[in-house]
């Protein structure tokens, strides 16, 4: 059973104190996060390309068994016609992200709330996502944010390609609770600032049980605390990791 728990990114000034110890050099924050979490969702790749050496350095900063998910470039998903995005997808996948090696987890493809389900166009987009890159197997997690995707056709086309529909626990976006791949990808977005661990004990128990249920049958689980009271997300992740270890 492999359950990876973490947060979005690792550079956030309000974490200096509540999470990062005083005096810790900024360049060592990823190393510290890697020692206390088991996964991180890289968000910077959504906004711009990175150098291959940057990915290699990130991989070297975290221990064995740690996993990064990589958020796909906005230029791949924020398009009127998704099926015309082959060039932008190739540019994103060839920037060097495979230098993460065995630390590479799923690629996270996030769509804007204004993107509605178009069966043919979406199928064309999914067909552009390769199963491997530079000899590494790729896993694809698809996050949609419009109610039109509550369509059996969408669920079927994702399942046929062994891609995961992101489980988004959010007040703002719909949650499509379907297991469509050999892994689960969940983004929890309800942390509360007045709770030291972001989520109270009852909620943490719920998510620990849910994560273990998702992991049955040797399914990997990637669970990230995102948004909400962001300052509390590292504490929430650490508390859930402790619950899972009990």
């Amino acid at each position: 059973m492999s359950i990876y728990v973490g947060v979005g990114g690792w550079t956030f000034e309000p974490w200096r104190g509540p999470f990062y110890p005083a005096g810790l050099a900024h360049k060592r924050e990823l190393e510290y996060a890697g020692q206390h979490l088991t996964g991180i969702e890289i968000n910077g790749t959504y906004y711009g390309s990175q150098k291959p050496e940057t990915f290699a350095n990130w991989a070297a900063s975290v221990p064995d068994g740690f996993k990064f998910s990589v958020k796909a470039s906005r230029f791949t998903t924020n398009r009127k016609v998704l099926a015309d995005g082959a060039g932008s997808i190739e540019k994103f996948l060839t920037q060097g992200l495979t230098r993460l090696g065995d630390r590479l987890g799923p690629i996270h493809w996030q769509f804007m709330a204004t993107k509605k389900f178009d069966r043919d166009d979406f199928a064309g987009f999914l067909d552009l996502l390769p199963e491997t890159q530079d000899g590494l197997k790729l896993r694809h997690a698809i996050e949609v944010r419009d109610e039109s995707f509550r369509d059996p056709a969408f669920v079927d086309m994702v399942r046929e390609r062994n891609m995961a529909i992101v489980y988004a626990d959010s007040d703002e976006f719909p949650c499509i609770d379907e297991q469509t791949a050999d892994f689960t990808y969940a983004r929890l977005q309800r942390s509360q600032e007045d709770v030291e661990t972001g989520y109270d004990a009852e909620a943490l128990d719920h998510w620990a049980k849910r994560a273990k249920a998702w992991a049955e049958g040797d399914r990997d689980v990637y669970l990230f605390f995102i948004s909400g009271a962001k300052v509390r997300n590292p504490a929430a992740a650490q508390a859930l990791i402790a619950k899972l270890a009990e």
Side-chain angles (χ1 to χ4, degrees), residues 1-2 181-183 212-220:
M1 180 173 66
S2 297
D182 59 3
F183 70 100
K212 289 179 179 179
W214 280 330
E216 290 179 357
D218 294 326
R219 177 184 283 118
D220 290 338

Side-chain angles (χ1 to χ4, degrees), residues 102-183:
D102 61 5
R103 273 75 163 167
L104 176 62
I107 309 298
H108 172 212
W109 306 87
Q110 184 185 80
F111 295 86
M112 296 178 67
T114 54
K115 176 59 69 176
K116 298 185 181 300
F117 180 50
D118 178 314
R119 181 170 183 165
D120 292 338
D121 187 40
F122 216 82
F125 172 83
L126 296 181
D127 286 340
L128 296 175
L129 306 185
E131 295 183 3
T132 64
Q133 181 68 39
D134 301 330
L136 282 181
K137 178 183 176 181
L138 297 183
R139 282 175 157 174
H140 301 290
I142 312 299
E143 182 174 11
V144 293
R145 294 180 157 187
D146 183 80
E147 290 287 348
S148 62
F149 285 89
R150 291 189 189 279
D151 186 318
F154 169 65
V155 176
D156 288 345
M157 70 172 60
V158 176
R159 180 176 284 122
E160 287 169 1
R161 295 164 174 82
N162 192 37
M163 298 176 183
I165 298 175
V166 172
Y167 182 102
D169 185 52
S170 166
D171 290 324
E172 188 175 355
F173 305 115
C175 179
I176 300 177
D177 187 4
E178 295 280 354
Q179 295 301 300
T180 57
D182 59 3
F183 70 100

Side-chain angles (χ1 to χ4, degrees), residues 55-122:
F55 289 102
N57 290 336
W58 290 343
S61 297
V62 297
D64 290 344
F66 189 94
K67 294 291 185 182
F68 290 102
S69 75
V70 183
K71 193 169 185 178
S73 166
R74 55 185 169 170
F75 298 109
T76 63
T77 55
N78 297 352
R79 309 177 63 89
K80 183 176 181 180
V81 181
L82 293 172
D84 288 346
S88 60
I89 291 172
E90 181 181 12
K91 180 179 179 180
F92 167 72
L93 292 175
T94 58
Q95 66 184 292
L97 58 86
T98 54
R99 294 288 295 276
L100 291 172
D102 61 5
R103 273 75 163 167
L104 176 62
I107 309 298
H108 172 212
W109 306 87
Q110 184 185 80
F111 295 86
M112 296 178 67
T114 54
K115 176 59 69 176
K116 298 185 181 300
F117 180 50
D118 178 314
R119 181 170 183 165
D120 292 338
D121 187 40
F122 216 82

